[in-house]
């Protein structure tokens, strides 16, 4: 009937309008995120031949006061590429015919961007033969006002025993999933001053690279510790 046709057209209009509005909101949100992160630029390195595929993407901080951090990232990345290419060259000298192409891949992820803190990590994936590749994670937590890469102790008030809080939570999480870790990980000794970490949302994330405390199948072990657990002793709540 005419009424049924009109009802159908109204419903169709509502669906189309909602979809367009949702798409517009996504576009606005993406634009706001892009504008918010103008402090970071992409650095890309691409190469492909019969023996190796390189697909590198890592961040560069645009503020010249962070040049030391940029140098640290680029130097580590360049050395990583060179070491893999040196291995490949040695293989070639031994008669390797590149029947299994090497791979180097990296991507970065911004996990916190507030008024005073920028946190991100870069995952570096490498395949150079064997059963599988390996991933190395490098995390950076930066005080945006001091333009300084922070160590874990610099997140807290001087004299605060943050290690006890973190170690207790990590032990609890390991004991809940013992099968994911090496046997000796259940006798976890605790973090040290060189602990690897980043900030994600309202959590401090302590992580270990592959094979440090768990087998390959467990990936990169991460332990989320709520920042609220540290109360007023955490210096970067805003």
């Amino acid at each position: 009937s005419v009424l049924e046709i009109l009802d159908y057209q109204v419903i169709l209009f509502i669906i189309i309008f909602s979809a367009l509005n949702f798409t517009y909101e996504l576009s606005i949100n993406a634009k706001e995120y892009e504008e918010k992160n103008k402090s970071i630029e992409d650095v890309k390195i691409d190469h492909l031949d019969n023996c190796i595929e390189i697909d590198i993407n890592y961040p560069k901080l645009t503020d010249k006061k962070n040049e030391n951090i940029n140098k640290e990232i680029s130097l580590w990345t360049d050395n990583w590429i060179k070491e893999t290419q040196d291995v490949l060259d040695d293989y070639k000298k031994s008669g390797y015919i590149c029947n299994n192409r090497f791979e180097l891949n990296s991507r970065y992820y911004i996990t916190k961007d507030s008024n005073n803190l920028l946190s991100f990590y870069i995952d570096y994936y490498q395949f150079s033969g064997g059963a599988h590749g390996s991933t190395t994670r490098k995390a950076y937590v930066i005080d945006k006002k001091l333009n300084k890469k922070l160590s874990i102790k610099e997140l807290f008030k001087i004299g605060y025993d943050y290690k006890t809080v973190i170690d207790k939570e990590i032990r609890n999480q390991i004991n809940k999933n013992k099968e994911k870790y090496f046997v000796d990980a259940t006798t976890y000794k605790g973090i040290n001053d060189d602990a690897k970490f980043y900030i994600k949302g309202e959590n401090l994330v302590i992580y270990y690279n592959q094979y440090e405390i768990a087998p390959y199948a467990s990936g990169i072990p991460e332990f989320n510790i709520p920042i609220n657990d540290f109360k007023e002793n955490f210096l970067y709540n805003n």
Side-chain angles (χ1 to χ4, degrees):
S1 67
V2 174
L3 287 176
E4 289 176 339
I5 293 172
L6 288 173
D7 287 342
Y8 173 77
Q9 290 177 335
V10 169
I11 292 170
L12 184 61
F13 173 79
I14 292 172
I15 292 172
I16 293 172
F17 177 80
S18 298
L20 289 173
N21 189 52
F22 178 70
T23 303
Y24 175 75
E25 289 178 356
L26 284 179
S27 176
I28 292 297
N29 290 337
K31 184 178 179 181
E32 288 177 350
Y33 181 80
E34 183 181 349
E35 289 176 351
K36 185 179 179 182
N37 287 284
K38 282 183 178 178
S39 57
I40 289 181
E41 293 179 349
D42 282 353
V43 177
K44 296 183 180 181
I45 304 173
D46 296 304
H47 175 80
L48 177 63
D49 61 38
N50 291 332
C51 295
I52 189 169
E53 179 178 1
I54 299 174
D55 181 10
I56 302 297
N57 189 9
Y58 66 85
K60 178 182 178 182
L61 307 180
T62 55
D63 191 330
K64 291 184 178 180
K65 294 177 182 177
N66 289 314
E67 196 56 35
N68 59 326
I69 299 172
N70 288 332
K71 286 181 179 178
E72 179 182 335
I73 295 172
S74 63
L75 181 62
W76 196 96
T77 305
D78 291 344
N79 287 338
W80 177 63
I81 295 171
K82 184 180 183 303
E83 287 172 5
T84 305
Q85 290 178 322
D86 287 346
V87 170
L88 178 57
D89 289 341
D90 288 340
Y91 277 22
K92 288 179 180 178
K93 291 175 184 177
S94 301
Y96 182 61
I97 58 172
C98 299
N99 57 331
N100 206 357
R101 182 185 287 144
F102 280 28
E103 294 178 35
L104 291 178
N105 177 289
S106 76
R107 293 292 183 270
Y108 71 92
Y109 306 88
I110 299 170
T111 56
K112 182 79 172 182
D113 189 0
S114 63
N115 291 332
N116 56 6
L117 202 68
L118 174 65
S119 176
F120 60 88
Y121 65 83
I122 312 167
D123 276 350
Y124 293 92
Y125 172 79
Q126 173 184 346
F127 175 77
S128 51
H132 51 70
S134 62
T135 299
T136 300
R137 177 168 294 174
K138 302 284 288 182
Y140 296 81
V141 178
I142 298 164
D143 184 314
K144 293 171 72 173
K145 295 179 180 178
L146 299 177
N147 299 107
K148 176 185 178 183
K149 178 185 174 184
L150 299 172
S151 64
I152 192 163
K153 69 179 180 181
E154 293 174 309
L155 297 174
F156 304 98
K157 290 182 178 178
I158 295 174
Y160 174 62
D161 185 13
Y162 63 91
K163 289 183 179 179
T164 297
V165 178
I166 293 172
D167 291 344
K168 180 181 178 180
E169 183 57 34
I170 290 178
R171 287 190 183 98
N172 287 339
Q173 293 184 35
I174 288 176
N175 288 329
K176 288 178 182 178
N177 295 282
K178 292 181 180 179
E179 68 283 355
K180 290 177 59 178
Y181 304 95
F182 294 137
V183 174
D184 59 354
T186 56
T187 57
Y188 177 74
K189 295 182 177 63
I191 65 167
N192 54 36
D193 293 337
D194 296 324
K196 294 182 283 293
F197 70 98
Y198 58 90
I199 309 296
K200 185 175 183 180
E202 301 306 315
N203 290 284
L204 168 66
V205 183
I206 306 294
Y207 72 94
Y208 290 84
N209 274 312
Q210 290 175 332
Y211 297 113
E212 284 193 84
I213 64 170
Y216 179 83
S218 296
I220 295 177
E222 297 178 332
F223 301 95
N224 288 269
I225 296 95
I227 290 172
N228 285 338
D229 287 0
F230 308 113
K231 300 179 181 178
E232 73 281 356
N233 298 292
F234 190 80
L235 296 176
Y236 291 88
N237 278 315
N238 297 323

